[in-house]
């Protein structure tokens, strides 16, 4: 399949691109490699001023980029604008912090003097998903750009206009050609990029299937990999929590991006005493959500990104019902031909329901109930995934007890899980390995070099 822009709201194809030719492919790889040899020696100030210009351009042209996102994958426009603005934030963050993160660190040793320095590695290849088509790319390219690595991007095949626009922003900001290139390529070419000797690191955000395929090949080539994969994050609500806040925040935690976020709250787990009252509050809020045209700034729920994804969600919904799940609200399309699934609440599932083992990548939320703290922790961890979790409680002691016991890369207490530039982000178990963002994320694709003077 070639790259194509298929507007999931209008259900119309708006653009189509062929995979690049073999000659173009080879030229781009050659350029990435030769560019690295001078980019690694550029002054940090030079990289920083370009990245600051990138941030400025993103802010100046926010509306243009937001519209591309909404057109290609259906995110409500108000959220697309926030995504673009967050990309400006991460660009500025690394432009300003890189000198600190890359500064040599003195170490105690048996030598007269030792220190570690952080040198660039080479080309870092990113395979990225469509769900946050700008944010996923920026959180990878901003630190690598500052580190002196060069970037090659294989974006998801339904967001080519976003990919092309991001490459252009860097050129417009004054980045030399070849520092960050977009490749419209097929899976065979993905393998060729991974095998290329100049490619020293691979980062993939996406499904487990794609992640394991790419990491398998990278492993046989001995190349460093970071995998950001799926999640089935629990949203645990204790009886002593602020229920109104938990219900209000739960709306965005589950339905942001039409339910297609890796760190969405995908299983609500609510203490028995407050189960009915929480559900009543939450249901009322869900039924009040504006569903429809994602270009309308008031819309909260738009279409899922592709028809095959909607069919998969409908299939999961059928299995949920077969397992005893009751549809409290939603459960059907906004209109028969649209790709919009109404926000859906499921109750009455057994605690070991199959859905704990899968990822629900759309606007559906199963709500389970629990009795004790111990049971809550067990239910939260009863999934192969380990990306993030939210815990709602009025007790700091309880939060402190539970946070270390949750098997995930992030735990949010009395709030929704969010990524931000200054905090490390990533998962454990089937949610992947390695971290993005913060100083820790920047260090993933650096040569941590020990220098000793004897
Ligand atoms: P996907 O189907 O795995 O696609 C992700 C990327 O991998 C796309 O560029 C895709 O290209 C490529 N790809 C797929 N199979 C491949 C293969 N065999 N060889 C080479 N490349 C391959 O995932 P998605 O549907 O776009 O994204 C949704 C998934 O991403 C969810 O599971 C979500 O939880 C996860 N995600 C995780 C995070 C995180 O930070 N942990 C963040 C966002 C999303 P094509 O489009 O051309 O197929």
């Amino acid at each position: 399949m070639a790259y194509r822009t298929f507007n999931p709201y209008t259900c119309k194809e708006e653009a189509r691109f062929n995979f690049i030719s073999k000659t173009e492919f080879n030229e781009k790889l050659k350029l990435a490699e030769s560019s690295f040899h001078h980019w690694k020696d550029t002054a940090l100030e030079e990289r920083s001023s370009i990245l600051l210009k990138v941030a400025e351009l993103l802010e100046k042209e926010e509306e243009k980029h937001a519209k591309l996102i909404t057109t290609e994958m259906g995110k409500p426009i108000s959220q697309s604008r926030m995504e673009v603005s967050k990309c400006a934030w991460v660009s500025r963050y690394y432009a300003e912090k890189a000198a600190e993160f890359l500064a040599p660190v003195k170490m105690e040793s048996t030598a007269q003097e030792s220190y570690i320095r952080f040198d660039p590695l080479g080309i870092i290849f990113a395979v990225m998903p469509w769900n946050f088509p700008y944010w996923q790319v920026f959180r990878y390219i901003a630190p690598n750009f500052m580190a002196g690595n060069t970037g090659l991007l294989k974006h998801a095949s339904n967001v080519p206009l976003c990919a092309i626009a991001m490459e252009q922003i860097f050129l417009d900001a004054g980045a030399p050609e070849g520092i960050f290139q977009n490749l419209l390529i097929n899976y065979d070419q993905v393998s060729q990029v991974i095998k290329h000797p100049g490619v020293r690191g691979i980062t993939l955000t996406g499904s487990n299937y794609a992640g394991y395929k790419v990491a398998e090949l990278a492993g046989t080539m001995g190349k460093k990999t970071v995998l950001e994969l799926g999640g089935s994050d629990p949203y645990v609500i204790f009886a002593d929590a602020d229920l109104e806040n938990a219900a209000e925040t739960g709306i965005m935690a589950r339905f942001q991006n039409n339910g297609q976020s890796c760190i969405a709250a995908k299983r609500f787990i609510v203490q028995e005493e407050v189960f009915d009252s929480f559900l009543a509050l939450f249901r009322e809020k869900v039924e009040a959500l504006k569903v429809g045209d994602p270009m309308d700034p008031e819309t909260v729920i738009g279409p899922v990104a592709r028809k095959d994804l909607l069919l998969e969600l409908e299939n999961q919904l059928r299995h949920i019902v077969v397992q005893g799940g009751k549809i409290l609200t939603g459960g059907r399309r906004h209109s028969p031909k649209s790709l919009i699934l109404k926000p859906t609440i499921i109750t009455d599932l057994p605690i070991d329901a199959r859905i704990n083992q899968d990822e629900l990548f759309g606007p559906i939320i199963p709500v389970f109930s629990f009795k004790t703290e111990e049971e809550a922790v067990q239910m939260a961890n009863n999934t192969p995934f380990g990306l993030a979790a939210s815990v709602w409680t009025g007790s700091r002691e309880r939060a402190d007890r539970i946070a270390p016991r949750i098997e995930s890369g992030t735990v949010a207490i009395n709030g929704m899980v969010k990524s931000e530039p200054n905090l490390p982000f990533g998962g454990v178990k089937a949610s992947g390995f390695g971290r993005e963002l913060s100083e820790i994320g920047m260090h993933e694709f650096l040569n941590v070099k020990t220098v000793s003077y004897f």
Side-chain angles (χ1 to χ4, degrees):
M1 191 178 80
Y3 280 74
R4 72 178 192 138
T5 299
F6 179 86
N7 183 324
Y9 181 68
T10 61
C11 291
K12 291 209 171 82
E13 181 174 296
E14 300 202 2
R16 184 179 270 264
F17 300 87
N18 289 326
F19 299 123
I20 54 176
S21 67
K22 200 173 170 187
T23 314
E24 208 180 335
F25 176 75
N26 289 335
E27 278 168 2
K28 282 177 185 283
L29 256 71
K30 219 165 151 185
L31 180 62
E33 195 171 28
S34 60
S35 303
F36 173 67
H37 293 297
H38 67 81
W39 187 243
K40 69 179 168 45
D41 295 325
T42 49
L44 264 186
E45 295 73 30
E46 186 184 334
R47 295 179 208 159
S48 171
S49 76
I50 299 170
L51 202 54
L52 288 172
K53 180 81 187 152
V54 166
E56 243 174 66
L57 287 176
L58 281 165
E59 279 163 352
K60 200 169 126 209
E61 300 174 344
E62 181 183 287
E63 197 58 17
K64 176 180 105 180
H65 297 295
K67 279 189 174 151
L68 280 184
I69 295 174
T70 299
T71 302
E72 291 204 300
M73 51 68 67
K75 189 187 306 270
I77 189 79
S78 57
Q79 296 173 30
S80 299
R81 290 177 187 138
M82 286 194 281
E83 180 171 341
V84 177
S85 141
K86 199 168 168 183
C87 294
W89 181 16
V90 78
S91 300
R92 251 190 211 110
Y93 172 79
Y94 280 110
E96 286 162 4
K97 288 283 198 178
E100 178 189 328
F101 296 164
L102 298 174
V105 179
K106 268 188 173 290
M107 306 293 285
E108 293 287 325
S109 75
T110 56
Q112 284 188 38
E113 187 189 333
S114 292
Y115 63 91
I116 48 177
R117 42 177 297 123
F118 301 100
D119 289 339
L121 280 184
I123 305 169
I124 307 303
F125 178 41
V127 181
M128 289 290 150
W130 48 266
N131 66 333
F132 286 86
Y134 273 60
W135 171 242
Q136 306 289 356
V137 173
F138 269 87
R139 75 185 188 186
Y140 130 80
I141 195 61
N144 282 299
F145 185 88
M146 286 310 299
N149 292 320
T150 55
L152 287 175
L153 167 69
K154 182 266 180 270
H155 216 326
S157 47
N158 54 331
V159 289
L161 295 176
C162 291
I164 292 166
M166 281 182 282
E167 180 184 48
Q168 191 59 44
I169 297 171
F170 278 82
L171 294 172
D172 292 348
E177 292 221 344
I179 305 304
F180 173 50
Q181 297 179 85
N182 169 48
L183 305 175
L184 298 176
I185 53 175
N186 60 34
Y187 294 172
D188 281 346
Q189 290 167 312
V190 166
S191 302
Q192 289 173 45
V193 177
I194 294 170
K195 288 180 188 163
H196 190 280
V199 172
R200 297 288 164 77
I202 297 104
T203 179
L204 178 141
T205 301
S207 62
N208 289 70
Y209 177 79
Y212 297 161
K213 276 268 173 218
V214 162
E216 184 183 15
L217 180 59
T220 64
M221 306 298 299
K223 297 191 181 181
K224 171 85 187 261
T225 313
V226 166
L227 292 185
E228 297 283 7
L229 307 176
S232 183
D233 294 359
Y235 191 86
V236 182
I237 301 165
F238 283 92
D240 61 0
D242 174 347
L243 287 194
E244 169 60 32
N245 194 358
E248 186 61 33
T249 308
I251 293 291
M252 265 301 123
R254 169 63 281 201
F255 298 114
Q256 185 191 20
N257 206 18
N258 306 325
Q260 305 160 117
S261 165
C262 55
I263 46 171
K266 299 199 178 99
R267 295 172 298 138
F268 282 9
I269 300 172
V270 185
Q271 200 156 22
E272 204 175 50
E273 298 95 295
V274 293
F275 187 87
D276 291 340
S277 43
F278 172 79
L279 207 56
L281 266 176
F282 187 65
R283 178 184 183 168
E284 196 185 325
K285 290 177 192 298
V286 168
E287 289 178 345
L289 295 175
K290 177 150 190 209
V291 177
D293 181 355
M295 283 294 179
D296 178 344
E298 301 298 315
T299 295
V300 182
I301 304 283
V304 295
R306 295 192 316 244
K307 189 169 181 190
D308 60 303
L309 299 168
L310 177 62
L311 295 177
E312 171 60 19
L313 278 173
E314 289 175 331
N315 198 25
Q316 285 179 300
L317 209 45
R318 274 191 289 277
H319 284 288
I320 283 172
V321 171
V322 167
Q323 273 216 305
K326 289 214 172 80
I327 297 172
L328 188 66
T329 186
R332 60 195 163 81
R333 297 187 193 188
H334 188 48
S335 64
K337 286 201 171 147
S338 85
L339 299 190
I340 301 176
L341 183 64
K342 281 174 167 277
T344 301
I345 304 176
I346 308 287
T347 58
D348 290 54
L349 273 171
I351 58 168
D352 59 347
R354 167 73 207 257
I355 206 61
N356 288 293
Q357 310 308 313
D358 296 334
E359 181 176 34
L360 264 174
F361 213 58
I364 305 174
I365 184 69
V367 189
F368 298 91
S369 90
F370 71 90
K371 288 191 174 66
T372 63
E373 185 177 311
E374 186 58 33
E375 200 183 5
V377 172
Q378 272 176 26
M379 288 169 76
N381 289 337
N382 178 25
T383 173
F385 298 105
L387 194 54
S390 283
V391 177
W392 290 79
T393 173
S395 157
R396 173 69 198 233
E397 292 73 29
R398 192 205 307 278
D400 290 346
R401 266 196 313 272
I402 286 188
R405 298 187 64 203
I406 303 253
E407 297 164 352
S408 68
T410 295
V411 179
I413 309 294
N414 296 331
M416 76 178 258
V417 176
K418 296 186 261 203
S419 60
E420 54 179 274
N422 36 309
L423 294 175
F425 181 89
V428 295
K429 295 161 73 181
S431 293
F433 49 76
R435 291 291 177 268
E436 292 189 284
L437 300 173
S438 77
E439 181 172 4
I440 291 174
M442 186 175 200
H443 285 177
E444 289 283 3
F445 292 115
L446 289 170
N447 175 7
V448 181
K449 186 184 283 172
T450 300
V451 181
S452 290
Y453 295 79
F454 291 95

